[in-house]
Amino acid sequence: MSTAPADCSRGWCPDGACHGARLDSLLTPEARWLWEQLAARADKRGERSMTGGTTVITAPEGAGQRAAVLGLIGTRILAPGERCRIRLEELTLRLRRHGARLTPGAVAAHAVGRPLGSAVAERARQTARAGGLRLLRARLGAALPGQAPVRPSDEGWEELHHTGRVARILQHPAPEELLRRGAEVLRLLPVRGCVDRRVLAHRVTGDPHGLDAGSDLAGLVLAEAALAGVTAPGMPLRAAWSRLRVALDALSGGLLSVGVHPKGWTLPARHPCILPPYTLAEATWPGPDREEDSWVFVTENPSITAAALALPANVPVRLLCTAGTVSAVEVDALARLADSGWRIAVRADFDAAGLALVRTVLAAVPQAEAWHMTADYYTASLHPSPFEPVALAPDRLGDTPWDPSLAASMRACGQAAYEEGLIDELLTDLHEGRPSAGAPAHGHPRANRRL
């Protein structure tokens, strides 16, 4: 182990305490544990010299390590793991035999190779910078126009701190600029009409993706909106931006549709098409011609839609696919579809996201039904010998009020199952135009035994 020079030119020692000192006998590998523990105390409390008071040390396992500091701490040989309180004044006097100005902090700084008290100093710097950011945010908020829908107030700073947003701001490479760009977004929020989020992001940052989900700028703007009461914490992103009159991409996503089209549309039979959010937000739906043909099926996976296209051409398939998590626009469109007289049957994968999708649709469309989303169908859809089974996190599943035994079965088994495992049953229902009743027609015996 190399030792630091006795005349330290790196600023490690407080007040040049190492000048002219003999450190070699103190900075041995065996004694390093003592200086590391003292350095940790100095970092925590900001005491760079440590010449007064007491501290507690914990003896290491090695007998040679414990013996190496016996002459410094002035006590008997300690047992492994024993805690011992030492007086720093006495330790300082013993160190002065090696250097007239030596202190425990000076030797510890040489041992660890850096200035001590870094944690306290860093906290002080962060506190000072946070105070400056708070003042900057207040000035930027005061400069916003009178009609601005969101205006940061000084009172909201503590709430931003409580939610961790201030820490996120401080971690940003340019926190002051982040606040300025956030204020510019708030200044450009429309009072009437709407603005595309990508256009707004480009105006403020030069990057159309500057306000994408997960960005620090988007998080800051939405946090300010929630503080101002314009949005609510936990609100879906599309709904939150909509409250700010900012439109997310209205042409991507939406519902994959077969046989379900807005009023006035004419399409070739069995022609799949995407109904984007823009269309879904404005769509009005024709009602069913006959009550017995009034079912619309809602699924999560495009593979079910692809399989449905292979059904006989004379089968009037009516299927909507969310292709993943359902959005607020899509749920609202399903609710209006139900209000037009259609009966909704909804299903998804047997995992946390799938259960959440079904809960969301059933909450928004009370007359909808869960389609083959029971414990029996879960068991039937389990693969008998999955190569890399996806484990379920029990605390993330939530409840299944349409069939309480489903959540219990999923927690007991602990494995996800997918819509593709029920492809035959689903296609049969699509062919018949209505959900079948009763238990599944088949299942995987090995999967059944798991439960």
Side-chain angles (χ1 to χ4, degrees), residues 267-282:
L267 292 174
R270 197 62 61 78
H271 180 77
C273 68
I274 296 292
L275 303 178
Y278 178 86
T279 299
L280 293 173
E282 303 292 333

Side-chain angles (χ1 to χ4, degrees), residues 128-433:
R129 191 163 198 189
L133 292 173
R134 180 173 188 166
L135 293 175
L136 174 60
R137 175 178 172 273
R139 289 198 301 270
L140 292 170
L144 290 174
Q147 72 272 21
V150 176
R151 183 185 302 277
S153 65
D154 185 64
E155 293 76 15
W157 182 260
E158 291 302 326
E159 182 62 23
L160 289 178
H161 181 77
H162 177 71
T163 59
R165 180 57 52 184
V166 171
R168 291 282 299 274
I169 295 172
L170 286 167
Q171 291 167 5
H172 192 272
E176 291 83 3
E177 189 61 21
L178 175 63
L179 289 181
R180 292 188 183 95
R181 299 298 175 112
E184 181 66 4
V185 172
L186 299 182
R187 187 183 72 81
L188 293 176
L189 290 177
V191 179
R192 291 177 297 276
C194 196
V195 63
D196 186 282
R197 184 174 65 170
R198 291 168 299 187
V199 173
L200 177 61
H202 187 267
R203 287 176 183 170
V204 174
T205 70
D207 179 1
H209 301 289
L211 286 170
D212 281 2
S215 69
D216 286 330
L217 183 58
L220 173 61
V221 170
L222 293 176
E224 295 286 17
L227 281 176
V230 178
T231 64
M235 179 178 288
L237 288 179
R238 189 176 293 273
W241 283 113
S242 179
R243 291 278 185 90
L244 297 175
R245 297 183 176 274
V246 176
L248 273 63
D249 185 359
L251 301 178
S252 299
L255 296 172
L256 173 59
S257 170
V258 177
V260 185
H261 311 123
K263 185 180 292 185
W265 285 31
T266 301
L267 292 174
R270 197 62 61 78
H271 180 77
C273 68
I274 296 292
L275 303 178
Y278 178 86
T279 299
L280 293 173
E282 303 292 333
T284 57
W285 306 100
D289 294 330
R290 300 183 306 164
E291 171 124 15
E292 55 269 28
D293 288 327
S294 61
W295 283 98
V296 172
F297 297 90
V298 178
T299 186
E300 180 183 7
N301 294 286
S303 58
I304 307 302
T305 304
L309 294 176
L311 290 171
N314 62 339
V315 175
V317 173
R318 291 180 296 275
L319 179 64
L320 293 171
C321 175
T322 67
T325 303
V326 68
S327 71
V329 172
E330 293 162 9
V331 171
D332 184 63
L334 293 176
R336 285 184 280 111
L337 187 64
D339 291 340
S340 298
W342 293 98
R343 304 175 69 184
I344 307 296
V346 59
R347 67 156 295 105
D349 290 328
F350 290 104
D351 58 13
L355 297 186
L357 187 154
V358 174
R359 279 195 300 269
T360 299
V361 173
L362 293 181
V365 190
Q367 61 269 50
E369 294 185 14
W371 177 29
H372 293 343
M373 290 293 291
T374 65
D376 287 340
Y377 279 101
Y378 165 65
T379 302
S381 63
L382 284 164
H383 194 282
S385 56
F387 173 54
E388 293 178 336
V390 176
L392 297 172
D395 57 335
R396 296 184 58 191
L397 289 178
D399 296 328
T400 52
W402 63 90
D403 179 19
S405 62
L406 170 59
S409 295
M410 292 175 66
R411 290 189 177 95
C413 178
Q415 179 183 318
Y418 304 99
E419 290 195 274
E420 290 80 0
L422 294 173
I423 190 72
D424 293 337
E425 284 90 343
L426 304 186
L427 291 178
T428 297
D429 288 2
L430 289 170
H431 186 281
E432 296 298 323

